[in-house]
Structure formats: C-alpha cells, structure tokens
Amino acid sequence: MNAKEAQKMVKACLSKKRYTHTMNVRDAAVHLAEKYGADPDKAELAALLHDAVKERSREELLQILQNNAIMAQNAEKSPPPVWHGICAAILAQTEWGVTDPEIVSAIRCHTTGKAGMSKLDKIIYLSDMISAERDYPEVYELRRLAEEDLDKAVCTAVEKNIGWMRECGKSIDPLSLEALEDLKRGMQTREDTHE
Ligand SMILES: [Fe+2]
Ligand SMILES: [Fe+2]
C-alpha cells in the first residue's frame, strides 16, 4: 500500500475528526522527517496508518491480537488504549502490504514509545502529540521544542504523557516507562559527550 491508497482507506473508515487529525499528523511527520533527515515517504505512510483502526471496537481489536498471537506478543495485557497501534501494525503487515519494519515499528509504538526508539518512531510519536488541531496548554512548548531538538522534544512528550496518565489514575504501559528511561539516558550521554 502506498500513501495515496492509505489516505483513501483512512478517509473511508475514519470519522471526519480523526481523518483531520491523521492528515495533520501526516503533515507534521513529513515536516519533521525532512528537518531531521528521516525518510519523508516512510513518515507519511506511518502517519497515515497510525490511527487507522482506532475506531474499531475493543472486541474487534482483541480479536486481531488473538488471531496474530506471535506478532501481538501478549499485547492484550497492555492497557486497551494502546491496542489500536499494535493492531494497526499487525494489519499493516498482514492486510495492507506494508513490509518495511521501520514503518511497522513507528505505527506500533506511537502511543507508548519504547526503549531504543528510531528517528522515525520519535517523529511519529511526537507528530501525534503536536498535530495542528491539538490545543492543550503544553502543546505550544512541545511544538517549539520539536523545531529545536527532536530528542528533547520526544523525551518531554513521553514524560508529559506519563504524568497525565498518573494524574488520571490510568495504568501506564511498561513500554512508556522504558521509553522515558532510555530517552533520558540518551540525553544524558549526549550532554556528557558535549562537555
Ligand atoms: Fe493513536
Ligand atoms: Fe493519533
């Protein structure tokens, strides 16, 4: 599936609101990919597909996880809000003909992050949080950081996400905690080598 086909598919299966979000994530992701030297075509396809199954029912998503147990890797133990990324990554490979592991990874971890995020993983994660329609108070700071420093922006974004989930008493996927620890470590190593 190419970007044009992906756009057509999500336009047909998502609400207007989520389709607009998807287009805004696409625009942000292509911009950040060009800015930070990632592949803009991969960023575009990953962004277009990242929320493609977000409007499917919980039962349907669970069914996708159960039907693809090896790919799902016990994902049903993760909090249900993260299932849509994992399911989109599974369907990308099994139904939509997306074989590029970088794209699949970026779709899969767009809600949680993970340890060892690639540049594309970071770009999709961040684009999802700073897309043009978002207007929570901290988004302006994140957009500014995104223009300055990708690593710092993603680290801040993951940290904020974990903070919000804690405030709301939601369960936090261990992958997010691993992502934060890893990103912080990366930032520290970078600072140390620049001293
Ligand atoms: Fe999502
Ligand atoms: Fe999204």
Side-chain angles (χ1 to χ4, degrees), residues 18 21 50-51 54 81 84-85 110-111 128 134:
R18 186 153 284 113
H21 162 69
H50 86 284
D51 275 346
K54 194 155 178 180
H84 73 280
H110 84 262
T111 319
D128 191 26
R134 301 226 189 248

Side-chain angles (χ1 to χ4, degrees), residues 91-127:
L91 295 185
Q93 297 167 91
T94 55
E95 289 186 12
W96 307 333
V98 178
T99 50
D100 188 301
E102 284 186 60
I103 298 175
V104 172
S105 164
I107 295 171
R108 183 172 181 123
C109 74
H110 84 262
T111 319
T112 56
K114 64 175 181 181
M117 289 170 88
S118 71
K119 204 186 273 181
L120 194 67
D121 294 335
K122 291 174 184 171
I123 285 171
I124 299 301
Y125 185 94
L126 190 58
S127 300

